[in-house]
Amino acid sequence: SLGVSLLFAVPFILLGKYSYRLGVLNTTTSNHTKSVIQENISLAKIVLGFGKQQKSVDSLANAFDAHRDATLKSQFLSIAIPILYDPFGVVMIVIALFTARRFNVPLSELMVLLLALRQVAFSVGNLTAQKNSLENFFPSYEQIENLRNRAKRLKQKSGEKCFNGIEREISLQNVSFSYPGHGEVLSAVSVRVPKGKMIAFVGGSGAGKSTLIDVILGFHSPSDGRVLCDGVSLAEFEINSFRRKVGYVPQDSALFNMTIKDNLLWALETAQEKDIISACCQANADEFIRQLPEGYNTFVGDRGVRLSGGQVQRIALARSILRKPELLILDEATSALDTHSEKLIQQAIETIAKKTTVIVIAHRLSTIVNADYVYVLEKGRIVEEGTYRWLMENNGYFNRMVAMQTL
């Protein structure tokens, strides 16, 4: 008797252990999938700015595939285990038959009763499970459908021409823009960004600087006016071919939860070791990276949490430089840094500006002393423009901004 009991128990103990392992695997893949989703959504602006939507979609697809496989295995086993208990049901029927014979209960009545109870119990349990499953499913389905419909309405507009680079300049002609339900954020803005020059945009909070950059990158289409590249409207270019020629460092730069090297290769998969080191040297990042225990193979953590703000910003700058962009856009890249990190970033920017076209949004005005031209924005309008020295001598709005920061 004991031997038979153990014979029946061993398979279920093994299945229980396997089920536990699948549960752990399912939890791990679920957490990884959540991390990938959160990472790609929170860094969506960087993904779009680098034209890496397909890479983002691929990483999400891989995470979902792994989660699906683990879930299917776990669900299959959870369904299979109860089925494996059916032999015990047969044993119970045999016992019932033996008992009926012992107490002279008609066999036909007993079989009908057992069959009816089995079918009713199975049907009721199945209906209840399906009802609960559907009730839990519909809210999620409605949310997904709403997101899908909204995504279709907000689909990125794109032309067909391939963008091959800047020959003369990028310009904005009387560009105006307003968010739905709000007043104008930009009003009749006209600027020129000549090739090979460093152009700075300055102004107080809410002046429209970041929105101006979003319009140049094609995140927003102007409600009036045009964005031109060598006289051709940006709307005529295939937007990703344009963004692949742009390096973008936002104010809130963040890194992906991978190694430093993988973060750099994310921008350019074909980059060689010497290219990576050269980009990091230009961004003043190579020295501190080599001092880390794992060097370029150091994991940076979620959004680069294992590094300081200045280190994250310099790696983000190196990531943009690695692409050898036609246009480098820096959106307040030093606003949240300490003085030492700001100085290193400023030196890197001035080195890069000798080789490519640079647009800088500056919060700290000391970082744009060497800019070729400066545009001053206030309430979505260009109120002053000129070289740094001319604006300082003009004793206008820009001069007062510098004086306030000096104080």
Side-chain angles (χ1 to χ4, degrees):
S1 176
L2 180 60
V4 173
S5 299
L6 289 174
L7 187 63
F8 274 107
V10 169
F12 289 104
I13 291 172
L14 295 175
L15 285 171
K17 286 187 176 181
Y18 185 56
S19 178
Y20 173 75
R21 289 176 183 173
L22 282 180
V24 173
L25 176 63
N26 193 28
T27 302
T28 303
T29 55
S30 177
N31 290 337
H32 174 66
T33 303
K34 291 177 183 177
S35 175
V36 172
I37 293 171
Q38 182 180 7
E39 192 172 66
N40 280 277
I41 291 176
S42 63
L43 301 181
K45 203 167 184 179
I46 294 175
V47 172
L48 289 172
F50 278 75
K52 290 288 184 178
Q53 294 95 310
Q54 190 56 51
K55 190 175 183 68
S56 179
V57 169
D58 290 341
S59 67
L60 286 168
N62 291 334
F64 277 122
D65 287 344
H67 180 52
R68 178 201 60 203
D69 293 342
T71 302
L72 285 175
K73 288 179 182 178
S74 178
Q75 291 297 321
F76 175 78
L77 195 61
S78 66
I79 294 171
I81 288 177
I83 295 174
L84 293 175
Y85 278 94
D86 279 353
F88 289 97
V90 174
V91 173
M92 293 303 297
I93 291 173
V94 171
I95 294 172
L97 290 172
F98 176 78
T99 305
R101 184 177 179 184
R102 176 108 181 175
F103 294 98
N104 296 320
V105 177
L107 181 61
S108 58
E109 293 180 11
L110 181 65
M111 292 302 295
V112 169
L113 179 61
L114 288 173
L115 183 61
L117 287 173
R118 184 178 184 280
Q119 291 298 326
V120 169
F122 176 79
S123 299
V124 170
N126 191 38
L127 285 172
T128 303
Q130 293 299 325
K131 176 178 177 294
N132 292 336
S133 178
L134 287 172
E135 287 178 348
N136 292 330
F137 170 76
F138 270 113
S140 300
Y141 174 76
E142 290 175 355
Q143 290 181 20
I144 290 172
E145 277 301 300
N146 288 336
L147 285 172
R148 188 193 299 274
N149 293 332
R150 190 172 177 223
K152 288 179 180 178
R153 292 196 304 271
L154 299 177
K155 186 176 180 180
Q156 173 76 62
K157 295 180 180 179
S158 180
E160 297 181 355
K161 286 186 178 181
C162 181
F163 181 80
N164 295 315
I166 304 170
E167 293 183 4
R168 298 188 306 277
E169 66 176 19
I170 289 178
S171 62
L172 279 71
Q173 294 184 350
N174 296 316
V175 168
S176 298
F177 176 80
S178 59
Y179 293 101
H182 295 79
E184 280 191 334
V185 181
L186 298 175
S187 180
V189 172
S190 296
V191 302
R192 291 178 61 249
V193 183
K195 181 177 180 177
K197 300 295 183 181
M198 178 178 171
I199 307 300
F201 294 96
V202 301
S205 297
K209 305 184 298 297
S210 293
T211 302
L212 182 64
I213 294 300
D214 289 349
V215 170
I216 293 174
L217 281 168
F219 292 157
H220 303 306
S221 298
S223 52
D224 195 16
R226 295 190 302 167
V227 180
L228 304 174
C229 181
D230 298 325
V232 180
S233 173
L234 182 62
E236 296 183 28
F237 291 107
E238 200 281 314
I239 192 64
N240 283 330
S241 71
F242 171 73
R243 290 174 182 166
R244 280 192 286 268
K245 297 288 186 179
V246 175
Y248 176 51
V249 183
Q251 178 181 354
D252 183 22
S253 287
L255 303 177
F256 293 93
N257 189 10
M258 53 181 73
T259 66
I260 293 174
K261 184 176 181 180
D262 288 337
N263 266 284
L264 295 167
L265 288 173
W266 178 86
L268 186 65
E269 294 89 341
T270 58
Q272 302 296 316
E273 190 80 19
K274 62 179 182 179
D275 299 323
I276 292 173
I277 294 172
S278 175
C280 289
C281 287
Q282 290 183 62
N284 284 322
D286 181 69
E287 183 179 353
F288 89 80
I289 292 174
R290 292 187 182 277
Q291 292 175 356
L292 297 172
E294 301 293 329
Y296 280 85
N297 294 317
T298 300
F299 275 90
V300 301
D302 191 21
R303 296 178 65 86
V305 69
R306 296 182 181 178
L307 303 176
S308 70
Q311 290 172 337
V312 169
Q313 203 75 339
R314 278 179 276 167
I315 292 173
L317 182 58
R319 181 171 59 187
S320 293
I321 296 170
L322 185 61
R323 310 182 85 192
K324 298 179 180 178
E326 288 279 326
L327 174 66
L328 179 63
I329 297 177
L330 307 172
D331 188 352
E332 300 194 27
T334 64
S335 62
L337 302 182
D338 59 83
T339 305
H340 177 67
S341 296
E342 178 189 350
K343 186 176 180 180
L344 291 174
I345 294 282
Q346 184 176 348
Q347 290 173 353
I349 292 171
E350 290 174 0
T351 300
I352 299 159
K354 298 174 184 177
K355 303 177 182 178
T356 188
T357 307
V358 180
I359 294 178
V360 180
I361 289 181
H363 176 73
R364 296 181 181 177
L365 303 180
S366 58
T367 61
I368 60 165
V369 173
N370 295 320
D372 293 292
Y373 206 76
V374 180
Y375 290 93
V376 184
L377 284 89
E378 184 182 15
K379 296 181 180 179
R381 294 179 178 274
I382 302 292
V383 293
E384 285 183 347
E385 59 180 278
T387 63
Y388 186 95
R389 178 177 294 181
W390 185 88
L391 290 171
M392 287 297 294
E393 294 173 351
N394 193 41
N395 198 28
Y397 183 75
F398 180 79
N399 184 282
R400 291 194 296 273
M401 288 177 63
V402 175
M404 287 295 293
Q405 286 202 0
T406 302
L407 290 174

